[in-house]
Amino acid sequence: MADPNVAFYGFTPVPRDPDVLFDSHPTANSDHPKQDDYTVTDFPLPDSKIVREVRDFVQNELSSQTYNHSHRVYVYGVALVKSHFPSWSYDLETYYLACLLHDIGTAERFLAATKLSFEFKGAIVARDLILNVGGVEDQADSVCDAIIRHQDIFVKGYIPTSLTLLPDVIDF
């Protein structure tokens, strides 16, 4: 019996290389790719005790520019899935947490406290935070994995569903 947490927390493997992921894709790879019209109301933010505590933490640690960037990553990632991969299954709360926390390692107090890259330090901080505010280990691990690997833009092979969205929309 398959572990339902694999799909729920975004661990289902998908091609990492965007050229492979979108190759012959019916809605993304053509002269006129599908472009759905969305409004902000199409992307309600998850709102749970865990989300509120993480959001408050991130808002206190990151600049407003980086905090806003994290929200754009969430919206653009969800829009990509809605438009091009509607069959994908993953937890929006876990994805939102990954988006909120993906640059937490760039906060001054974390950069100053380590010689690790910001991705690795941020992943450790994020995992500990999620567990400390009541998240489950699979959720914390999914976010941790996404943060560590979110800058691996030229890696071939397969990565978890939840991670695919971060690198593809990170520049927004």
Side-chain angles (χ1 to χ4, degrees):
M1 181 174 185
D3 180 352
N5 286 345
V6 169
F8 186 77
Y9 290 113
F11 289 110
T12 304
V14 295
R16 171 62 201 101
D17 184 342
D19 292 335
V20 174
L21 184 64
F22 290 106
D23 184 45
S24 301
H25 193 280
T27 62
N29 193 5
S30 70
D31 291 338
H32 304 286
K34 181 180 179 187
Q35 296 181 351
D36 292 324
D37 289 328
Y38 293 114
T39 66
V40 70
T41 59
D42 294 314
F43 306 102
L45 300 177
D47 185 35
S48 67
K49 176 186 176 291
I50 294 168
V51 164
R52 288 188 297 275
E53 290 190 36
V54 169
R55 187 181 56 229
D56 290 348
F57 176 84
V58 169
Q59 200 163 20
N60 286 328
E61 296 293 338
L62 295 177
S63 69
S64 61
Q65 293 88 352
T66 305
Y67 178 76
N68 291 335
H69 158 75
S70 298
H71 284 90
R72 286 189 303 275
V73 169
Y74 174 78
V75 169
Y76 294 151
V78 174
L80 276 171
V81 171
K82 283 183 175 206
S83 292
H84 302 294
F85 304 102
S87 66
W88 282 10
S89 175
Y90 64 99
D91 177 43
L92 284 173
E93 177 178 287
T94 301
Y95 179 60
Y96 183 53
L97 293 173
C99 292
L100 282 173
L101 290 162
H102 81 273
D103 282 337
I104 196 65
T106 65
E108 183 58 37
R109 79 170 168 136
F110 301 125
L111 281 176
T114 188
K115 292 179 181 57
L116 291 171
S117 69
F118 81 89
E119 297 94 346
F120 282 85
K121 180 62 176 180
I124 293 166
V125 169
R127 186 178 190 282
D128 289 346
L129 176 63
I130 290 168
L131 292 173
N132 286 335
V133 299
V136 297
E137 191 164 11
D138 281 344
Q139 183 177 53
D141 287 350
S142 179
V143 171
C144 182
D145 190 35
I147 294 170
I148 288 171
R149 297 168 52 182
H150 85 270
Q151 296 281 27
D152 292 348
I153 58 174
F154 298 109
V155 175
K156 303 292 184 194
Y158 292 87
I159 59 173
T161 312
S162 62
L163 179 56
T164 301
L165 303 175
L166 281 177
D168 291 339
V169 299
I170 210 71
D171 291 329
F172 293 100

